[in-house]
């Protein structure tokens, strides 16, 4: 939580520059802690999807985003990381990382789905010389480990056939 809150001003500056450079481009922001999610929603004057969002409201937000009525949406990486289609955006900013690489990959999949017809860019907004550095390295190590495990499973299946 501290890492996310402490970099909010830098994230707002990044958002200002992103919006200035691409004023019409839709953007999905993913964060983990409610305080960060609410602050970003207030800053962008856009709805948020978090654990307290009802299914009806969640679907209405998604529909409004997909139809172009909303340019931005802030989503909890855990509450909205699965089951949402937000392919109107080709850009996502992950403001706070999650310990579990699979959760991050699921979050990225909200805009990187079969119906996406544009190249996707994922921005990981990391604070330099903060806990983010350590966490990002842990996430990458886990991803590397998972890749090794998957290769071993493929090899094992091939050998045992």
């Amino acid at each position: 939580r501290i890492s996310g809150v402490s970099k909010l001003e830098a994230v707002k500056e990044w958002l200002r520059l992103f919006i200035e450079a691409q004023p019409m481009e839709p953007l999905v922001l993913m964060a983990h802690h409610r305080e960060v999610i609410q602050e970003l929603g207030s800053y962008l004057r856009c709805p948020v999807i978090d654990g307290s969002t009802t299914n009806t409201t969640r679907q209405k937000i998604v529909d409004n985003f997909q139809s172009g009525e909303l340019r931005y949406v802030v989503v909890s990486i855990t509450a909205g990381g699965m089951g949402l289609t937000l392919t109107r955006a080709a850009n996502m900013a992950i403001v706070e990382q999650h310990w579990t690489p699979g959760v991050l990959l699921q979050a990225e999949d909200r805009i990187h789905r079969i119906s996406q017809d544009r190249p996707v860019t994922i921005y990981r907004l990391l604070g330099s010389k903060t806990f983010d550095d350590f966490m990002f390295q842990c996430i990458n190590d886990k991803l590397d480990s998972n890749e090794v495990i998957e290769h071993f499973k493929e090899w094992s299946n091939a050998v045992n056939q």
Side-chain angles (χ1 to χ4, degrees):
R1 184 181 89 60
I2 293 170
S3 179
V5 171
S6 67
K7 65 183 178 185
L8 273 171
E9 292 309 311
V11 170
K12 289 177 186 177
E13 177 62 13
W14 182 89
L15 286 168
R16 186 187 68 72
L17 294 171
F18 179 90
I19 293 166
E20 184 178 287
Q22 303 177 70
M24 301 307 291
E25 187 65 30
L27 177 67
V28 174
L29 286 99
M30 289 282 185
H32 186 59
H33 293 95
R34 182 169 289 167
E35 184 177 352
V36 175
I37 293 165
Q38 295 301 323
E39 179 68 25
L40 292 172
S42 294
Y43 178 75
L44 290 171
R45 295 186 181 107
C46 71
V48 302
I49 296 174
D50 63 17
S52 67
T53 309
T54 66
N55 287 339
T56 303
T57 302
R58 176 188 313 249
Q59 191 57 54
K60 183 175 181 181
I61 293 168
V62 169
D63 292 344
N64 289 342
F65 182 79
Q66 289 292 89
S67 72
E69 291 179 46
L70 300 171
R71 186 166 302 133
Y72 313 112
V73 64
V74 182
V75 181
S76 162
I77 205 162
T78 50
M82 292 181 76
L84 300 180
T85 298
L86 300 167
T87 53
R88 185 169 152 266
N91 294 286
M92 174 184 285
I94 298 178
V95 176
E96 294 179 288
Q97 305 305 302
H98 192 277
W99 282 106
T100 308
V103 171
L104 291 169
L105 295 173
Q106 281 293 323
E108 292 175 12
D109 283 347
R110 299 312 94 215
I111 68 169
H112 202 277
R113 297 174 77 75
I114 291 172
S115 59
Q116 180 60 267
D117 58 1
R118 299 186 296 157
V120 168
T121 303
I122 306 293
Y123 299 94
R124 295 187 187 280
L125 306 183
L126 305 173
S128 180
K129 297 181 182 166
T130 68
F131 188 68
D132 282 354
D133 289 332
F134 170 75
M135 194 164 179
F136 190 65
Q137 185 59 50
C138 287
I139 291 164
N140 283 327
D141 290 347
K142 288 179 182 180
L143 284 170
D144 289 344
S145 296
N146 287 342
E147 188 173 313
V148 168
I149 290 167
E150 287 304 313
H151 285 296
F152 176 76
K153 285 180 184 175
E154 290 172 14
W155 174 81
S156 179
N157 289 338
V159 168
N160 291 322
Q161 288 183 359

